[in-house]
Amino acid sequence: ADGSGGSAAPASSDKSIILITPNPVGTNSFLQLGVKGAEAAAKEIGASFKLYESKDPTSIAQNVDAAVRAKPTVIVGISFSFDDVFNTVPKQHPEQQFLQVDSCAKDQAANLACVSFKEHEAAYLAGIEAGLLTKSDKIGVVAAIDSPFVHRWIDPFFAGATSVKAGVTGTPLYVGGNNPFSDPARAKSQTQTLTGRGADIVSAAASGGNQGVFEAVAASGAKAFGVDVNQCASSAGNIIDNVLKHVDVATVAAIKEIAEGKNGGVKVYGLAEGGVGVNALEDDVASSGCTIADSPEVIAKVKQARDDIVAGKITVADPLKG
Amino acid sequence: MTTPAPGTPAPDTTAAPGGEPRDGGPSPGARVLGWARRIVLSTPVLAIGGALVLTTLVMLAVGVDPSLAYPALLRGALADGNLEYTIAAFVPTLGMALAFAIPLRACEFNLGGDGQMAIGGVTAAAIALHLPMVAGVAVVLPLAAAALAGGLVAGLSAPLRTRLGIPAIVTTLLISTPAVAFASYLVRFPLGEQGTGIAQTPPLPDATHLPALAGSSYVTIGLPLIALLTVAWLYADSRTVLGYEIRATGQNRDFARYGGVAVNRLAAVTLAGGGAFAGLVGALIVLGPPYRYVDGALTAPGYTFTAVAAVLLATARPIAVPFAVALLTVLQVGGQGMEREAGVPSQLTQIVQGLIIVIVAVFATVRHLRARRGAGA
Amino acid sequence: MNIFEASFLAAVLTATTPVVLAALGGLICQVAGVFNIALEGQLLWGAFTAVVFSHLTGSAWAGVVGAMIVTLVYAAVLSLASVTFRADPIVVAVGTNLLALGLTAFLMRQIFGSGGTYSSPDLAGLPTLAELGLDVPVLGSQSPLVLLAFVLVAVVGWWLRRTRSGLRLRGIGQHQAAAAALGLKVGGYRHGVVLAAGALCGLAGAQLALGNVTLFSEGMSAGRGWVAVVAVMLGGVLPWRVLLACLLFGVAEAVGFRLQGVGLPQQAADSAPYVITLFALILAGVAARRRPKEIS
Amino acid sequence: MSVAATGDGSAAPAAELVGVTKRFGPVLANDGIDLAVARGEIHAVVGENGAGKSTLMSVLYGLHRPDAGHVLRDGKRIRLRSPADAIAHGLGMVHQRFRLFPELTVAENVVLGAEPVHRGAVDRAAARRAVEELGERYGLRADPAAQVGTLPVGVRQRVEILRALYRGAEVLILDEPTSVLTPGEATRLFEVLRTVTATGASVLLVTHKLSEVLTAGDRVTVLRQGRVTGRFDTAGTTAAELVQAMIGRTLGSAGPARSTTGPREAAYALEVRDLSLSDRDGVARLSGVSFGVRPGEIVGIAGVAGSGQRELIDAVTGLNVPGPRDSGQVLLGDAPVRRGRDPEVAYVPEDRHGRGTASEMSLAENLLMGDQRRPGSHTGRLGLSRAAVRARARDLVERFSISAASVDVPIGALSGGNAQKAVLARELSRRTPVIVVEEPTQGVDVGAQERIHALLAEARDRGQAVLVQSSELSELRALSDRILVMFEGRVVAEFSGDEATEALLGQAMTGATTGATTGATPEATPEATPGATPVATSGDPA
Ligand SMILES: Nc1ncnc2c1ncn2[C@@H]1O[C@H](COP(=O)(O)OP(=O)(O)OP(=O)(O)O)[C@@H](O)[C@H]1O
Ligand SMILES: Nc1ncnc2c1ncn2[C@@H]1O[C@H](COP(=O)(O)OP(=O)(O)OP(=O)(O)O)[C@@H](O)[C@H]1O
Ligand SMILES: [Mg+2]
Ligand SMILES: [Mg+2]
């Protein structure tokens, strides 16, 4: 399927999965991963799959209600935008199973399972790479909007960089405007602003605008970081690494557990669980297309840092908790 | 008109209801047929029919089965408990339609509904969060304050229009974005909830939640409130001196001024009145589920623009505004149902809406021109 | 912050070019007395078709020409409805804007197989002027369409002031009945400008999708067409004033970007162009009030 | 029926309308009309409001296509599908409401549509030369570089005529050209028209002013309810004969009797005390104006256009926007006039399209304006009762014999004269102590003129104080008990109605009597020459 709905597997069994997104999937690589995971899970357990895309908080609630009426095996909601709805709806429908990916309703019901990620840990590792690789000691992030959640990609990135090189300064710029999540032109000119002021590494957290970031660094000789998935191929030679978040893996695992009858609970995926990471840590880094492959000494430092975080020697501050 | 003898009142042909000839009318059967014909050939029916034909062609071209898609569209808007969502979208859209239509009667274009709505919403949220509330009236105060705030934001455009001659269509548009950004700033920082991913206020106290009707938290007193206000506007527009003066100002400012109408004050009154509706809509959204101001949630559904389209569709007939709003709302909410059920991308509803608007506009003019030509009487 | 540094000027030029091109379209319609608010949808449509043609042919210039032609055809909806059938151009434009949003997103899935963003290394973007041999500071990094946009402003200005059709167009905008009574084909001229505005929006879209960046992304016009409409409202029927309005907006936006870098909240940066434009308008309004008026 | 041309015998008429019929829905605007215009003549067309004059001219100019009948030009039948065809056949038209482009220059206005071109661009030098040459030849001087929107009405009309001549018009159609002109400007216009006909061109002149017809025209065709009811040579006819053909009866005596019994010593109903006003830019518009109007009295105001009448009336009605250097008082009885619009002053504005009516609103709604806030018959229990508003309107329509299909038609669909009557009906019916009337009979047929004058006299006799501004000196003389003459923002002379002759008034209007002539425009003087006979006979083709 192309992300616009439809069934991924023949609805032969009576199992079914409904995934609800908070926004149209469109350019959002994070949501695309969620869809990918849910589709994969549906295939594995032989369930049918449906995607409900929401547009705003009201339509989220509508989609959840519509999903409840359809009585699927599990209803998956992605992101903190479901916190409010999943506070109440699961309690009203105790026989229905729910899964929230990437956040958890405060008042968690027994039939609500949660999966969340420590993307700040991955962003910290990317920051270490940036700190080690920057020559101008100026780095930046181009993010879609200034929301607390987005800071998970900004603050730890800069923290990681300064942890290896004290003099590095980091500047975040936000795309904003009328269509912040899908304005590559504005993202590009934000990136140009950063590179124009000397930044030689820019991390992209601009959703649909990322491609604009990559184009800008390519033109100015700077380097970028991608996000969520391996984006190195979309601008070969210009992307150092990616802040990975294996939403698909986590989603598949969580759905399978529910299908097997293990309900509720919270599962947090950090570096330790392999739920987040950077391509530098992957086995196939050499073929990833990411330029980090050319800097084995940096990869070594990143691995060390990963081990330290897993071991608890380094604690990465979570901007959302700060 | 060939001069009738002085003193002979001209026969009042155009005033006959429905334009039926008065003397020796047709048989009841013929009359029913006539009515049926008139309804079938009426602008909205023709336009919607035309748009449906075109949309069906689009569907067929891209391999969507219309016999699945259309029922899904209707069910998505009206059946399976979806009606409450349609109502939940109808209320703010109608409110925003009034926000645009009221100043429009005085020929002022209010395109800044988003900003007025956002400021209204954030005002309501701030008051609900920070003022100790007596149960019962707790919901009234934020509503009133939001209307006031929205009215003030829109009212800013009035002196710019009357003193500096900058058209309201420009200033409302220019003020809107900063107003939305300001509200966004407030919920991100001073009013923001800590420890959450999105910029939003904490949940508002229960006492300030809009009382629900008919057991659905989506159908709130917002519905009767907006319905009442709409009726009040329709009445004021056609049956009060104020409405008359507003219309006269819209038709010819100089004429109204000459007739003793305080045109500048009226411009301010209508703009602020429109803004008040936008502010009220902001409050209705914030005080309804999920009972907080979520950044972007007010503007994301595009109520303002749908409302503008609906008012323009209604082509200067106030009574048609609620119907045009209902039509567009059904299409929008139904479109999501269609996407869920039949897997038809919801962009298709945007296509249908766009087509309907274009076709209605064309039909309306053609009829208008024909009517004018016919009304040489 | 030095606002005269090359990268700043380049950023302003890049950001304003699509707006200037669309605004020129809006302007010629305004001159002929047609209030064209269909620019946003046409700009989006232009961006989409430019990418489609570039994708199909592998040539950016084919993308530019294709975008101009297809957007012109798209504008024919507006011109037919509002000129031939005399429907309200504002209402029709609201409809075509919505239609463009839906159609591009829909066709994108049909043609490229996925929603969101389409970009590919094979997609041909416009060359820079430097690549074409015009290696001067600031302009060198821009696409030829940037230069063309500014040339077009001058050309349109000259055309409106000095040529026969320009003069007639101005007459039509000022008094339609009078122009008709002189035997001018008012409808023909109006069709012409609405269609030409479509072609210009196609050009603007091509610059946005193949010049500013090399990709298409759903809804990527992102309000630029509305900015163009505001620029026309501010500039009236004078091309240089419309250009000025676009530049004012672009500079304010670029300044806003930079202020973000020194800690100004994103919301303030977003507001900057609007607030600055509003103040410019108010100042101009106050000045006009002070200035002795000609008898009229 | 064919009309014998009075021109040089052998030649066919320059233009001829044959059996023209034109219907608008149920209205038969033109009913089998024949009309021939000989080369070199000024041919007047007169008739009541709504008689079909403008429609006929529009047919000749290709604006309306006739339902029956056709047009001949120099004896040959021509097809007129649009004004472009008409222009190509040497027809030119000057509409009553000018059709000019306000933001273009005079030269651009003149050449637009037939521009001289030099290397792809409009040849502006050639355009300017053409305007200057034409102006020279016909005495139509206008600055080619001036922006038309800034020019006075008289000059704008010259631009319209220049435009037609530039296109080589040999038949010039003018629809009520003088109704917006001052007497001086009108005189000048007829001089120009004579120069034009002297070159062999013809003029078709629609007018309501019979004096113009008789002095300036060669022949006249009278229309009534869409039919021709008379054809006359002006040399052998009288106004009374024309009136008889126009309205089927003769008019009463020479206007309403002046009040003789007016309470001359009563307190002023309207008093202006030492009023000085300046506009927003600080330019003085009125300087020390003082006068009063008593109940039961009509006071006329004369003056060349722009002498301060407009500002004075705006001040008296409360409509003016205060300027920076205002002083003085306007009193209604004892109270100062209320700003905005004083409801105690009825006001019939000159510009009935721009100010007096909202053309898209219904007649009933137009008739309500100004009274909407008065508790009265239009107010239902809960607000504005539509039935009451319409009943009230029907009553006015009947009392003032306004002819309209119904009170629900947009007022813009009424003929000019009927729209004017509607405005008068609205204002006079309010029975306010003070009535201000600008140009009471502009564009109104003679029958209606008579009724309007009678209405004003009636109001006076009821004890209302009436202030009338008019550019028709004869009208002022017929109506007024006293006439004030304004010049450069001052009242420079006052005459009693009996002693005011057009010569005296004309002289005063140039500022000549006071010696305050410092700023008098040089062109104002000859125009106002008393008793000037505007018509030269040199161009008479007979
Ligand atoms: N476009 C039109 N549609 C319908 N009726 C019209 C139209 N034009 C004129 N009429 C009607 O035709 C009749 C003749 O109108 P016309 O304008 O020719 O009169 P007129 O002699 O010029 O009057 P006036 O002296 O007031 O200018 C009037 O009853 C008028 O209302
Ligand atoms: N019943 C009608 N319906 C539509 N249009 C009309 C009607 N009657 C008149 N008109 C139009 O309105 C215009 C004004 O009518 P009319 O000729 O009576 O006035 P005018 O002499 O042109 O102007 P003025 O009102 O200043 O004297 C005409 O040009 C005619 O086309
Ligand atoms: Mg007429
Ligand atoms: Mg008339």
Side-chain angles (χ1 to χ4, degrees):
Chain A
D2 56 16
S4 64
S7 37
S12 53
S13 77
D14 51 355
K15 283 187 191 151
S16 59
I17 296 170
I18 293 178
L19 173 72
I20 308 171
T21 63
N23 307 104
V25 176
T27 50
N28 193 319
S29 53
F30 161 66
L31 295 179
Q32 285 168 349
L33 276 183
V35 173
K36 188 175 153 206
E39 277 177 352
K43 217 171 236 158
E44 283 191 36
I45 64 172
S48 66
F49 170 72
K50 276 204 166 172
L51 171 67
Y52 293 0
E53 289 178 285
S54 318
K55 297 192 173 67
D56 51 82
T58 321
S59 67
I60 289 176
Q62 292 170 15
N63 280 328
V64 170
D65 284 1
V68 166
R69 282 197 298 269
K71 296 195 175 32
T73 317
V74 56
I75 296 172
V76 188
I78 301 191
S79 90
F80 41 76
S81 296
F82 287 78
D83 286 2
D84 280 336
V85 199
F86 281 1
N87 258 338
T88 53
V89 176
K91 277 185 221 128
Q92 294 158 2
H93 303 277
E95 70 296 340
Q96 171 69 53
Q97 293 307 314
F98 294 87
L99 168 64
Q100 187 177 6
V101 177
D102 205 30
S103 180
C104 202
K106 284 213 180 69
D107 197 1
Q108 194 185 358
N111 55 333
L112 172 65
C114 294
V115 171
S116 59
F117 298 88
K118 294 181 178 168
E119 47 275 279
H120 45 291
E121 293 182 345
Y124 186 84
L125 294 185
I128 288 177
E129 295 176 17
L132 292 171
L133 292 171
T134 178
K135 299 202 177 63
S136 66
D137 286 1
K138 286 181 183 160
I139 62 174
V141 177
V142 171
I145 54 166
D146 179 6
S147 80
F149 192 67
V150 167
H151 277 265
R152 275 194 163 181
W153 280 267
I154 301 171
D155 304 357
F157 181 72
F158 294 149
T162 42
S163 75
V164 293
K165 200 172 191 185
V168 174
T169 55
T171 310
L173 287 185
Y174 305 96
V175 174
N178 281 312
N179 199 359
F181 291 97
S182 187
D183 197 337
R186 260 173 92 106
K188 184 173 180 180
S189 74
Q190 294 289 42
T191 311
Q192 282 166 340
T193 307
L194 286 173
T195 55
R197 299 158 94 220
D200 60 353
I201 293 177
V202 179
S203 181
S207 198
N210 279 7
Q211 196 62 35
V213 177
F214 302 150
E215 286 190 9
V217 295
S220 67
K223 295 273 187 285
F225 278 87
V227 71
D228 289 338
V229 291
N230 183 356
Q231 300 188 307
C232 293
S234 48
S235 184
N238 300 309
I239 300 176
I240 299 175
D241 202 345
N242 302 284
V243 181
L244 299 173
K245 185 164 156 186
H246 301 298
V247 180
D248 46 348
V249 179
T251 307
V252 172
I255 291 177
K256 273 163 73 182
E257 283 194 359
I258 292 171
E260 287 157 12
K262 278 208 262 165
N263 302 333
V266 182
K267 194 132 207 276
V268 179
Y269 287 84
L271 284 174
E273 296 80 12
V276 299
V278 289
N279 281 89
L281 299 173
E282 312 265 305
D283 299 335
D284 61 349
V285 60
S287 63
S288 65
C290 300
T291 63
I292 192 68
D294 308 333
S295 314
E297 71 292 350
V298 176
I299 295 183
K301 291 229 168 89
V302 170
K303 285 195 167 139
Q304 180 61 45
R306 188 257 321 259
D307 295 343
D308 287 350
I309 292 170
V310 171
K313 282 192 219 156
I314 303 176
T315 320
V316 180
D318 178 358
L320 279 184
K321 305 247 157 66
Chain B
M1 60 221 81
T2 39
T3 336
T8 327
D12 196 350
T13 47
T14 52
E20 295 281 3
R22 272 176 183 172
D23 39 352
S27 72
R31 191 170 300 177
V32 170
L33 269 182
W35 271 105
R37 237 192 78 212
R38 205 163 304 138
I39 290 172
V40 170
L41 293 183
S42 67
T43 307
V45 174
L46 281 178
I48 293 167
L52 284 183
V53 168
L54 284 177
T55 315
T56 309
L57 290 178
V58 174
M59 284 184 184
L60 291 172
V62 301
V64 169
D65 184 352
S67 69
L68 292 180
Y70 285 125
L73 179 96
L74 284 184
R75 270 201 303 280
L78 305 172
D80 290 349
N82 288 333
L83 186 60
E84 52 181 313
Y85 302 131
T86 308
I87 292 171
F90 175 75
V91 169
T93 314
L94 181 54
M96 294 312 292
L98 295 192
F100 179 65
I102 291 173
L104 188 66
R105 290 302 261 176
C107 218
E108 304 289 353
F109 280 74
N110 174 17
L111 291 185
D114 271 348
Q116 295 144 22
M117 177 167 67
I119 294 293
V122 86
T123 306
I127 288 190
L129 284 172
H130 292 295
L131 281 189
M133 289 287 179
V134 190
V137 298
V139 71
V140 178
L141 191 59
L143 284 177
L148 192 68
L152 281 176
V153 173
L156 281 181
S157 294
L160 297 177
R161 159 81 172 83
T162 53
R163 282 169 191 268
L164 298 181
I166 315 171
I169 188 172
V170 178
T171 55
T172 51
L173 204 60
L174 286 177
I175 291 171
S176 182
T177 306
V180 173
F182 181 60
S184 162
Y185 174 82
L186 290 180
V187 296
R188 169 80 174 86
F189 298 107
L191 294 174
E193 188 182 36
Q194 298 306 307
T196 175
I198 12 174
Q200 61 182 14
T201 65
L204 308 182
D206 287 352
T208 61
H209 295 186
L210 289 180
L213 297 179
S216 160
S217 61
Y218 290 95
V219 183
T220 65
I221 53 159
L223 178 66
L225 179 65
I226 221 74
L228 205 71
L229 288 171
T230 306
V231 170
W233 171 62
L234 289 174
Y235 178 82
D237 180 71
S238 68
R239 300 294 162 84
T240 65
V241 171
L242 182 67
Y244 168 74
E245 293 191 342
I246 289 173
R247 277 184 291 128
T249 306
Q251 291 285 339
N252 182 347
R253 270 178 88 78
D254 265 358
F255 172 60
R257 211 174 92 76
Y258 151 82
V261 178
V263 287
N264 287 350
R265 204 182 313 153
L266 268 196
V269 165
T270 56
L271 277 168
F277 269 92
L280 185 68
V281 168
L284 288 177
I285 297 174
V286 168
L287 303 180
Y291 307 110
R292 54 165 109 208
Y293 191 117
V294 182
D295 191 22
L298 275 62
T299 49
Y303 294 129
T304 305
F305 221 60
T306 309
V308 169
V311 172
L312 294 177
L313 258 187
T315 54
R317 269 171 315 188
I319 188 72
V321 168
F323 298 97
V325 169
L327 172 69
L328 294 189
T329 316
V330 163
L331 281 175
Q332 243 159 27
V333 179
Q336 289 177 35
M338 185 169 77
E339 177 171 300
R340 278 196 300 263
E341 266 195 57
V344 179
S346 59
Q347 287 88 22
L348 209 60
T349 40
Q350 279 175 334
I351 297 176
V352 181
Q353 279 188 12
L355 288 175
I356 289 186
I357 292 171
V358 172
I359 296 174
V360 168
V362 169
F363 272 115
T365 340
V366 170
R367 307 224 131 204
H368 180 69
L369 290 180
R370 210 178 291 157
R372 272 199 80 128
R373 222 168 294 147
Chain C
M1 179 178 61
N2 177 6
I3 67 158
F4 293 110
E5 72 193 43
S7 75
F8 179 88
L9 293 179
V12 172
L13 283 187
T14 320
T16 14
T17 300
V19 179
V20 169
L21 287 169
L24 268 185
L27 166 100
I28 54 176
C29 291
Q30 181 84 6
V31 170
V34 180
F35 187 39
N36 187 342
I37 60 163
L39 306 178
E40 174 76 8
Q42 294 178 5
L43 183 60
L44 182 63
W45 191 238
F48 177 68
T49 47
V51 167
V52 170
F53 277 90
S54 172
H55 164 79
L56 292 178
T57 63
S59 152
W61 292 111
V64 172
V65 174
M68 289 179 70
I69 293 172
V70 178
T71 313
L72 183 146
V73 172
Y74 187 70
V77 176
L78 175 65
S79 109
L80 261 180
S82 67
V83 181
T84 307
F85 293 109
R86 299 211 225 144
D88 185 339
I90 296 182
V91 185
V92 178
V94 167
T96 59
N97 282 340
L98 209 55
L99 200 60
L101 206 58
L103 269 180
T104 52
F106 190 80
L107 291 176
M108 181 179 187
R109 286 166 171 74
Q110 301 295 317
I111 296 174
F112 299 119
S114 81
T117 303
Y118 172 76
S119 73
S120 147
D122 306 334
L123 194 61
L126 288 165
T128 63
L129 284 169
E131 285 163 8
L132 295 175
L134 187 72
D135 197 358
V136 292
V138 182
L139 266 182
S141 62
Q142 309 286 334
S143 94
L145 296 192
V146 174
L147 200 58
L148 180 66
F150 288 86
V151 172
L152 276 178
V153 171
V155 169
V156 169
W158 179 83
W159 172 60
L160 287 175
R161 277 183 62 76
R162 300 300 305 274
T163 67
R164 176 186 283 205
S165 49
L167 177 65
R168 292 179 176 187
L169 201 64
R170 284 189 287 148
I172 286 169
Q174 287 173 30
H175 198 323
Q176 185 193 337
L182 288 174
L184 300 190
K185 302 237 177 326
V186 174
Y189 278 86
R190 293 206 163 155
H191 277 299
V193 287
V194 173
L195 294 178
L200 281 166
C201 284
L203 204 56
Q207 164 65 18
L208 182 64
L210 299 177
N212 286 23
V213 289
T214 311
L215 52 83
F216 178 76
S217 166
E218 270 177 52
M220 78 183 289
S221 52
R224 288 177 178 83
W226 289 108
V227 173
V229 170
V230 172
V232 173
M233 288 177 189
L234 299 187
V237 295
L238 296 176
W240 64 269
R241 275 179 48 174
V242 171
L243 175 67
L244 214 63
C246 293
L247 284 174
L248 175 71
F249 207 86
V251 168
E253 197 172 79
V255 169
F257 282 1
R258 274 150 201 256
L259 289 179
Q260 263 190 34
V262 299
L264 202 75
Q266 173 217 331
Q267 289 86 359
D270 273 3
S271 309
Y274 298 89
V275 174
I276 290 175
T277 308
L278 193 61
F279 271 104
L281 260 183
I282 291 173
L283 288 182
V286 171
R289 247 178 97 89
R290 294 249 175 81
R291 201 175 43 234
K293 227 175 33 157
E294 301 155 84
I295 352 120
S296 59
Chain D
M1 177 173 101
S2 172
V3 182
T6 53
D8 33 22
S10 59
E16 187 171 2
L17 290 142
V18 182
V20 168
T21 298
K22 178 72 192 172
R23 250 175 209 293
F24 295 108
V27 179
L28 192 53
N30 288 166
D31 183 6
I33 293 183
D34 297 310
L35 180 94
V37 190
R39 192 160 306 131
E41 79 165 338
I42 295 182
H43 191 121
V45 178
V46 298
E48 283 179 298
N49 292 121
K53 306 178 294 292
S54 297
T55 306
L56 190 66
M57 298 305 119
S58 300
V59 167
L60 181 56
Y61 192 58
L63 281 165
H64 287 321
R65 267 198 253 176
D67 301 320
H70 57 265
V71 175
L72 303 177
R73 175 87 173 87
D74 287 333
K76 282 191 282 297
R77 185 162 170 175
I78 55 172
R79 284 192 66 190
L80 298 171
R81 277 155 309 184
S82 71
D85 291 343
I87 292 169
H89 284 109
L91 299 163
M93 179 153 179
V94 177
H95 299 268
Q96 177 180 359
R97 269 178 258 163
F98 296 149
R99 305 205 162 179
L100 293 169
F101 309 105
E103 280 154 43
L104 301 185
T105 65
V106 167
E108 284 171 329
N109 265 281
V110 169
V111 300
L112 201 148
E115 307 84 352
V117 172
H118 180 66
R119 287 214 225 127
V122 174
D123 190 342
R124 291 193 283 190
R128 205 174 321 119
R129 270 198 312 277
V131 171
E132 277 161 1
E133 277 164 20
L134 280 173
E136 200 69 35
R137 175 138 38 108
Y138 296 107
L140 280 162
R141 236 141 302 170
D143 173 9
Q147 207 188 20
V148 161
T150 65
L151 297 174
V153 177
V155 183
R156 285 191 222 186
Q157 189 174 58
R158 267 178 244 163
V159 178
E160 285 263 18
I161 298 173
L162 278 171
R163 173 193 274 172
L165 294 174
Y166 173 77
R167 254 151 259 258
E170 289 171 357
V171 178
L172 200 55
I173 307 162
L174 297 116
D175 196 354
E176 299 188 40
T178 54
S179 65
V180 289
L181 299 185
T182 61
E185 284 169 330
T187 310
R188 184 98 74 89
L189 172 68
F190 289 117
E191 284 164 10
V192 168
L193 294 183
R194 269 304 159 205
T195 334
V196 171
T197 50
T199 65
S202 316
V203 171
L204 253 172
L205 174 73
V206 176
T207 180
H208 289 293
K209 300 181 185 175
L210 298 183
S211 58
E212 281 172 14
V213 173
L214 295 175
T215 50
D218 299 314
R219 288 192 306 150
V220 54
T221 297
V222 183
L223 299 187
R224 182 162 180 231
Q225 296 189 3
R227 295 207 191 90
V228 176
T229 51
R231 293 195 176 83
F232 304 92
D233 278 333
T234 51
T237 191
T238 62
E241 262 183 299
L242 292 179
V243 169
Q244 175 72 41
M246 278 167 69
I247 61 176
R249 63 181 170 96
T250 49
L251 289 177
S253 62
R258 227 169 271 124
S259 138
T260 43
T261 57
R264 291 290 154 99
E265 300 311 321
Y268 287 131
L270 166 69
E271 188 179 2
V272 174
R273 278 192 200 155
D274 199 23
L275 186 66
S276 296
L277 298 181
S278 54
D279 61 20
R280 228 172 53 180
D281 307 320
V283 178
R285 295 290 174 188
L286 290 181
S287 322
V289 172
S290 297
F291 69 91
V293 187
R294 293 192 173 84
E297 171 178 57
I298 297 179
V299 171
I301 294 180
V304 296
S307 299
Q309 305 97 313
R310 164 47 55 78
E311 287 79 7
L312 177 64
I313 285 174
D314 276 0
V316 166
T317 52
L319 275 166
N320 69 325
V321 183
R325 287 203 290 273
D326 295 359
S327 64
Q329 277 181 303
V330 176
L331 298 174
L332 296 176
D334 298 326
V337 72
R338 209 188 310 156
R339 284 253 185 249
R341 162 87 191 271
D342 196 303
E344 295 303 299
V345 182
Y347 172 34
V348 179
E350 171 185 3
D351 182 3
R352 62 174 168 266
H353 302 293
R355 191 181 253 187
T357 61
S359 55
E360 298 272 306
M361 291 180 98
S362 73
L363 175 58
E365 289 192 309
N366 269 282
L367 286 172
L368 177 64
M369 186 46 83
D371 266 353
Q372 72 274 19
R373 290 204 174 266
R374 284 193 190 201
S377 58
H378 61 275
T379 314
R381 203 150 26 95
L382 284 168
L384 211 55
S385 149
R386 268 196 241 175
V389 168
R390 289 169 59 207
R392 178 178 174 282
R394 278 197 213 100
D395 174 54
L396 287 178
V397 163
E398 192 168 332
R399 269 170 45 208
F400 289 82
S401 31
I402 300 164
S403 99
S406 95
V407 295
D408 296 318
V409 297
I411 199 167
L414 264 56
S415 81
N418 279 302
Q420 177 73 353
K421 274 195 272 182
V423 176
L424 272 159
R426 176 180 71 212
E427 297 302 316
L428 295 186
S429 67
R430 289 168 54 199
R431 301 283 167 92
T432 50
V434 177
I435 302 172
V436 177
V437 189
E438 276 176 322
E439 303 291 355
T441 57
Q442 192 172 89
V444 162
D445 68 51
V446 282
Q449 278 175 23
E450 186 194 31
R451 281 197 292 279
I452 289 168
H453 288 171
L455 286 170
L456 291 176
E458 232 176 83
R460 187 242 351 254
D461 294 341
R462 269 198 305 268
Q464 288 168 287
V466 184
L467 186 66
V468 177
Q469 180 270 323
S470 172
S471 50
E472 295 287 325
L473 296 183
S474 56
E475 174 167 84
L476 283 181
R477 288 178 54 224
L479 276 173
S480 313
D481 300 300
R482 281 187 291 141
I483 300 175
L484 308 175
V485 182
M486 294 193 68
F487 179 71
E488 291 195 329
R490 295 167 204 279
V491 173
V492 292
E494 178 175 338
F495 301 96
S496 79
D498 303 312
E499 73 192 17
T501 63
E502 295 199 13
L504 280 173
L505 287 171
Q507 204 167 39
M509 282 162 67
T510 65
T513 50
T514 57
T517 53
T518 33
T521 44
E523 52 180 273
T525 320
E527 280 179 5
T529 309
T533 350
V535 181
T537 47
S538 55
D540 197 321

